[in-house]
Amino acid sequence: MALIRTEKLCKSFDTTPVLKDIDLSVEQGEVVCLIGPSGAGKSTFLRSLNQLEKITSGKIFIDEELFLHREANVTVSRAEQSEYKRLLLEMGMVFQSFNLFPHKTAIENVALAPIYVKKTPRAEARDKARELLAKVGLAEKENEFPSHLSGGQQQRVAIARALAMNPKIMLFDEPTSALDPELVGEVLTVMRGLAENGMTMLVVTHEMTFAREAASRVIFMCDGTVAEQAEPSKIFTAPDNPRTKQFLSGVL
Ligand SMILES: Nc1ncnc2c1ncn2[C@@H]1O[C@H](COP(=O)(O)OP(=O)(O)OP(=O)(O)O)[C@@H](O)[C@H]1O
Ligand SMILES: [Mg+2]
């Protein structure tokens, strides 16, 4: 079953098209890595999925339900309000910059959305947050403020925070690219663990080793289009598209 599927998704900024007819789906249990040159539209695609950007046209299905359909910058149809909110919350997102609340401790950062958005009782939300912090290896850090945590630790708190909303799919936008090289591994380890436990993930990454080892499918995007998609064993050894080949020869 496709947890996320887009049909002819287009996005323009003013008159400049940056996403052109993107048909892309992520099936339950898949780890899909999205790679491609700077400016390809990878971030814009993720942001369009979770409504941080308004799409110009196309359809987005979540859980096989029509979430949004727009044409010429006008909404043609949309899931009914409560359903729209529910489907939106099925996507958890982790950004390059961790965006933690600086004046909240690690555990408060993780428990906040469940308490305020999902109305989870405070004690229950904190128990769950504690469990998630342990899962990302930060059991000892629950009362630390973000400024007292390393970048890698902050990013792991951000992952726990996204998981706290029980998403069906996790979207990652270059989660390790703001980190010092020695901190990248700990975040990738957490992501590998999630993948091994069956979390569905769509990951924009420049970490080709991660893509090669953890992805079930790799999508190469360039110029706002899906140029090629294949299993990592195929795309990293014998890509069909010369642009994929050219990109990979530059980054590998
Ligand atoms: N808010 C915006 N207003 C205008 N243009 C934008 C905006 N956001 C992105 N763009 C443009 O859209 C194109 C795609 O940008 P996007 O950030 O999605 O690329 P990317 O593939 O994520 O690149 P990178 O690997 O550098 O993160 C770029 O040409 C960018 O300049
Ligand atoms: Mg980007």
Side-chain angles (χ1 to χ4, degrees):
M1 188 186 81
L3 280 188
I4 286 183
R5 185 161 63 82
T6 64
E7 269 179 29
K8 294 198 176 303
L9 189 153
C10 298
K11 168 70 185 172
S12 299
F13 287 108
D14 296 321
T15 55
T16 311
V18 299
L19 295 175
K20 306 166 191 167
D21 288 331
I22 306 275
D23 290 336
L24 192 154
S25 70
V26 182
E27 304 285 319
Q28 181 150 26
E30 266 195 312
V31 176
V32 175
C33 284
L34 206 50
I35 63 171
S38 183
K42 306 178 300 294
S43 298
T44 306
F45 182 72
L46 290 197
R47 293 170 56 81
S48 296
L49 290 177
N50 71 1
Q51 305 303 298
L52 295 171
E53 301 287 355
K54 267 198 165 157
I55 63 173
T56 307
S57 64
K59 292 179 183 169
I60 300 173
F61 296 85
I62 300 176
D63 253 357
E64 307 280 7
E65 270 184 69
L66 180 68
F67 174 66
L68 181 65
H69 176 197
R70 284 167 64 81
E71 294 300 334
N73 271 317
V74 173
T75 300
V76 177
S77 64
R78 214 186 82 152
E80 164 272 308
Q81 185 63 11
S82 63
E83 193 61 6
Y84 178 88
K85 278 192 181 161
R86 189 183 70 77
L87 293 173
L88 192 56
L89 291 176
E90 290 194 352
M91 294 177 277
M93 177 123 176
V94 175
F95 302 87
Q96 180 177 355
S97 53
F98 334 116
N99 302 328
L100 296 176
F101 295 109
H103 55 290
K104 301 272 183 203
T105 62
I107 192 166
E108 287 166 350
N109 265 282
V110 178
L112 207 63
I115 292 169
Y116 290 100
V117 179
K118 284 208 163 159
K119 311 294 176 205
T120 306
R122 182 171 288 271
E124 187 185 327
R126 286 182 70 94
D127 285 348
K128 174 86 189 286
R130 196 166 283 128
E131 201 178 289
L132 288 168
L133 285 171
K135 191 168 166 178
V136 300
L138 293 174
E140 267 76 76
K141 302 288 185 188
E142 64 175 65
N143 293 317
E144 295 289 354
F145 286 92
S147 58
H148 287 185
L149 297 173
S150 72
Q153 291 169 339
Q154 289 183 54
Q155 190 59 303
R156 286 185 282 147
V157 174
I159 292 172
R161 180 178 57 177
L163 292 172
M165 295 296 278
N166 275 326
K168 285 196 181 168
I169 180 166
M170 288 280 283
L171 312 177
F172 291 88
D173 191 0
E174 297 195 34
T176 59
S177 56
L179 299 175
D180 292 336
E182 70 272 21
L183 302 177
V184 168
E186 63 192 58
V187 173
L188 293 180
T189 300
V190 166
M191 292 170 65
R192 279 200 185 88
L194 288 178
E196 281 158 16
N197 283 313
M199 176 59 80
T200 307
M201 301 176 20
L202 178 55
V203 185
V204 173
T205 186
H206 288 303
E207 295 290 333
M208 294 303 146
T209 309
F210 176 81
R212 197 192 279 260
E213 292 169 4
S216 32
R217 185 153 53 96
V218 177
I219 295 179
F220 173 67
M221 258 183 93
C222 73
D223 288 338
T225 64
V226 170
E228 180 166 6
Q229 47 180 317
E231 287 174 13
S233 58
K234 159 95 175 121
I235 216 157
F236 288 114
T237 55
D240 289 330
N241 192 319
R243 303 191 68 170
T244 317
K245 204 172 287 178
Q246 190 192 359
F247 172 75
L248 288 174
S249 70
V251 296
L252 289 177

